[in-house]
Amino acid sequence: MRTPPVTFPMNIGVLALQGDFEAHQRALEELGVKAFQVRSQADFERADALVMPGGESTTMLRILDEEKLEEPLLALAKAGKPILATCAGVILLARETRSPSQRCFGLLDVAVVRNGYGRQLDSSIRRLEPAPAAAGRLGSEPIECVFIRAPIICEAGPAVATLLADGDTPVLVEQGPILGITFHPELTSDRRIHQLFVDKVKASLQ
Amino acid sequence: MHHSDEYRLKVGLAEQLKGGVILDVTNAEQAVIAEKAGATSVMALERVPADIRKEGGVARMASISKIREIMAAVSIPVMAKVRIGHFTEARVLESLKVDYIDESEVLTPADEEHHVDKHAFRIPFVCGARNLGEALRRIAEGAAMIRTKGEAGSGNIVEAVRHMRTIQKEMKQLTVLGEEELATAAKNHQAPLDLIKIVAKTGKLPVPNFSAGGIATPADAALVMQLGAEAVFVGSGVFKSEDPERRARAIVKAATYFNDPEKLLEAHEDLGEPMRGIDIATLEETELMQTRGW
């Protein structure tokens, strides 16, 4: 894989409480960005941006709670730092979580149904074309979307833009500095989504 | 190596379970305790390995009503075990739509020569292994996750350590071999050459590598993770201890902070009594579970 030069340093943290955080780190490394693992308040404080990986949202929520990491996470979001949330990350950031309902942080104005497609046998890989409005940033080639026991975004507020949808269901949304993705771009070799995030981080630091 | 979408989804779920704890449970109540404690998944079974060891008899796939009750009780993935080689038990669990099947040496083997052809299933499988060759044979059959076997129901970490160290050492050794030496390595490990080549190149298994069999304390979990396990399975260690809820939470914490001694100390505060455990040397060869399967 070609490694493009990094024009200036950026501290992207990857929440590493549980889940496929190393896959995100590798994806960012392919883009020439060295990301570090976030497990403590100090880690949150030194991050310019945060990736929230896939994994089990119940597990992450309990550790965030027990280790008193909710506040540093909210502070990072409040400071307007970019966040890339995939799968479990979207469940944690949502305004409302259903089936079953679960505490969430309300940073992304969406309602999500957990395990919205069903169990593992209902997991799938779909090739979806970016919305015309997003073609400038994501290109028009279909994106390979790996849905694993994925949540479904069933409602999205007016400030939420859909960059990629499966029929009527948004699967990649943007609200200000936050990207919410119900699938796993870290499990493919297509780096367009991580590049989009790195571009957002760059822009936020300029 | 090119993989089908189906196989990528199987491995993909294993990826999501990394850094976590998969807990054995025998009813809905225990499953809820496990989920609340932060387990990433539960393994539904009739009896935990320590009881299987004690009570003897044939250990089979758990009853469907039991597994269904557990699936209904939690939102995290539910796994269940089948006997080695018992592909129709596996078809039953696939129809039931559990999330992962463990073809497990903890149950009484159904076939002493053949494992299940796991490529023939849409549902993902995890299998046990004691060394690299065994792990790669299971992957060749379609396993999407490997767990080292350890000695289930013993409460003794020594076998889990042995198996994890063995696999890690054998993988490291492959990385320094020349191309012409790999065919011999494949012969010695009794593993397919294409998989040997992948390990030689990456130094890792092509699927997630977890640890099982004997984990009873947070420090045990941290130990195998420092040795290279990417997540842990805990069987009897939690629900055979004095305070299962507290111990489950502590082991979950240890799986996240396995490299942080301060956090491990916190995890060990006020834990209550662990399960009693067995010195492996006192077990007869025929009492070992790890020697089931090849």
Side-chain angles (χ1 to χ4, degrees):
Chain A
M1 179 65 65
R2 183 178 61 97
T3 304
V6 184
T7 46
F8 51 87
M10 54 177 87
N11 294 313
I12 298 185
V14 180
L15 189 62
L17 303 179
Q18 191 273 318
D20 70 341
F21 48 88
E22 285 180 346
H24 277 287
Q25 277 183 296
R26 281 194 299 272
L28 289 166
E29 259 165 43
E30 285 175 21
L31 299 173
V33 177
K34 191 133 180 62
F36 64 95
Q37 299 182 357
V38 172
R39 290 191 184 84
S40 69
Q41 177 161 355
D43 295 336
F44 272 104
E45 284 164 2
R46 103 184 152 87
D48 297 323
L50 183 72
V51 175
M52 298 175 71
E56 283 305 316
S57 62
T58 50
T59 303
M60 294 182 204
L61 194 59
R62 208 198 60 69
I63 301 173
L64 282 168
D65 195 39
E66 181 163 313
E67 303 299 326
K68 302 186 173 58
L69 294 176
E70 183 177 333
E71 237 171 77
L73 169 64
L74 293 177
L76 180 141
K78 207 173 161 193
K81 295 179 178 176
I83 299 177
L84 172 73
T86 54
C87 196
V90 174
I91 296 172
L92 294 177
L93 293 189
R95 147 172 67 79
E96 187 190 339
T97 302
R98 302 172 188 166
S99 162
S101 92
Q102 177 174 298
R103 199 163 70 83
C104 43
F105 301 134
L107 296 169
L108 185 62
D109 190 12
V110 297
V112 297
V113 180
R114 293 180 56 205
N115 301 325
Y117 299 89
R119 307 197 70 94
Q120 172 63 8
L121 283 179
D122 307 302
S123 294
S124 66
I125 298 180
R126 296 168 210 207
R127 278 95 192 159
L128 303 173
E129 279 178 25
R137 293 198 288 162
L138 284 173
S140 51
E141 289 295 307
I143 291 179
E144 190 179 57
C145 304
V146 182
F147 294 94
I148 296 175
R149 287 174 49 92
I152 286 180
I153 295 175
C154 58
E155 283 169 29
V160 177
T162 297
L163 306 188
L164 192 65
D166 182 13
D168 292 334
T169 304
V171 297
L172 163 50
V173 297
E174 181 176 42
Q175 182 183 346
I178 299 178
L179 287 172
I181 304 165
T182 58
F183 56 94
H184 293 281
E186 73 279 14
L187 296 183
T188 70
S189 55
D190 186 339
R191 291 286 157 260
R192 275 178 285 171
I193 291 172
H194 284 85
Q195 186 65 59
L196 175 66
F197 181 61
V198 169
D199 291 344
K200 278 174 84 78
V201 180
K202 270 185 199 164
S204 77
L205 292 172
Q206 269 162 357
Chain B
M1 194 155 87
H2 176 77
H3 285 305
S4 66
D5 283 4
E6 191 173 283
Y7 191 66
R8 289 172 61 200
L9 287 167
K10 293 173 175 178
V11 177
L13 178 54
E15 294 283 340
Q16 305 313 310
L17 300 174
K18 283 184 177 177
V21 179
I22 300 152
L23 268 184
D24 278 4
V25 298
T26 58
N27 56 44
E29 187 192 350
Q30 289 183 356
V32 170
I33 289 173
E35 182 176 51
K36 281 201 178 133
T40 54
S41 179
V42 290
M43 176 75 70
L45 68 181
E46 204 80 41
R47 295 177 285 171
V48 293
D51 288 334
I52 293 174
R53 203 175 269 296
K54 205 162 69 192
E55 293 161 18
V58 175
R60 309 179 178 89
M61 172 183 80
S63 79
I64 294 311
S65 60
K66 178 85 72 183
I67 299 170
R68 209 176 253 143
E69 162 194 320
I70 289 165
M71 287 167 72
V74 293
S75 64
I76 54 179
V78 175
M79 306 187 181
K81 289 183 192 287
V82 300
R83 287 177 265 180
I84 289 173
H86 207 315
F87 54 86
T88 54
E89 278 188 348
R91 285 295 177 201
V92 171
L93 291 184
E94 187 177 48
S95 300
L96 187 61
K97 293 182 93 172
V98 301
D99 297 292
Y100 238 95
I101 293 178
D102 183 2
E103 185 183 17
S104 177
E105 68 282 3
V106 166
L107 305 185
T108 312
D111 190 326
E112 292 183 339
E113 282 181 48
H114 311 96
H115 286 253
V116 173
D117 169 19
K118 293 163 277 283
H119 284 301
F121 288 76
R122 285 188 57 230
I123 195 162
F125 278 76
V126 52
C127 287
R130 289 176 299 163
N131 53 52
L132 181 61
E134 195 173 4
L136 296 182
R137 288 192 291 277
R138 297 294 86 74
I139 294 167
E141 292 160 358
M145 181 203 301
I146 291 297
R147 55 170 178 76
T148 47
K149 286 177 169 174
E151 186 57 36
S154 70
N156 188 336
I157 197 68
V158 66
E159 296 301 302
V161 167
R162 187 191 322 280
H163 300 159
M164 188 52 72
R165 279 209 185 267
T166 300
I167 289 185
Q168 296 295 343
K169 182 182 73 185
E170 291 173 339
M171 290 196 298
K172 270 187 225 155
Q173 287 169 341
L174 286 186
T175 63
V176 297
L177 295 184
E179 188 72 16
E180 74 284 2
E181 294 171 292
L182 294 177
T184 308
K187 185 189 84 176
N188 293 340
H189 286 294
Q190 298 179 46
L193 180 57
D194 59 333
L195 293 177
I196 288 281
K197 283 184 174 172
I198 289 173
V199 176
K201 199 171 149 193
T202 63
K204 287 178 65 122
L205 292 181
V207 304
N209 183 16
F210 295 179
S211 176
I215 295 162
T217 71
D220 286 348
L223 176 62
V224 289
M225 290 194 68
Q226 289 204 23
L227 292 176
E230 296 174 297
V232 294
F233 285 79
V234 183
S236 320
V238 163
F239 286 101
K240 285 288 162 191
S241 73
E242 184 185 353
D243 186 344
E245 189 165 356
R246 176 158 241 154
R247 187 161 293 264
R249 290 164 62 111
I251 294 177
V252 167
K253 180 168 180 145
T256 296
Y257 295 101
F258 67 90
N259 249 332
D260 183 338
E262 292 289 325
K263 293 285 181 190
L264 292 177
L265 171 62
E266 284 174 29
H268 271 270
E269 301 278 0
D270 304 320
L271 260 187
E273 285 297 310
M275 73 178 281
R276 174 128 167 72
I278 303 168
D279 180 352
I280 307 293
T282 65
L283 291 175
E284 297 288 336
E285 181 68 25
T286 53
E287 294 177 292
L288 292 177
M289 291 175 171
Q290 59 176 279
T291 51
R292 297 163 165 182
W294 55 279

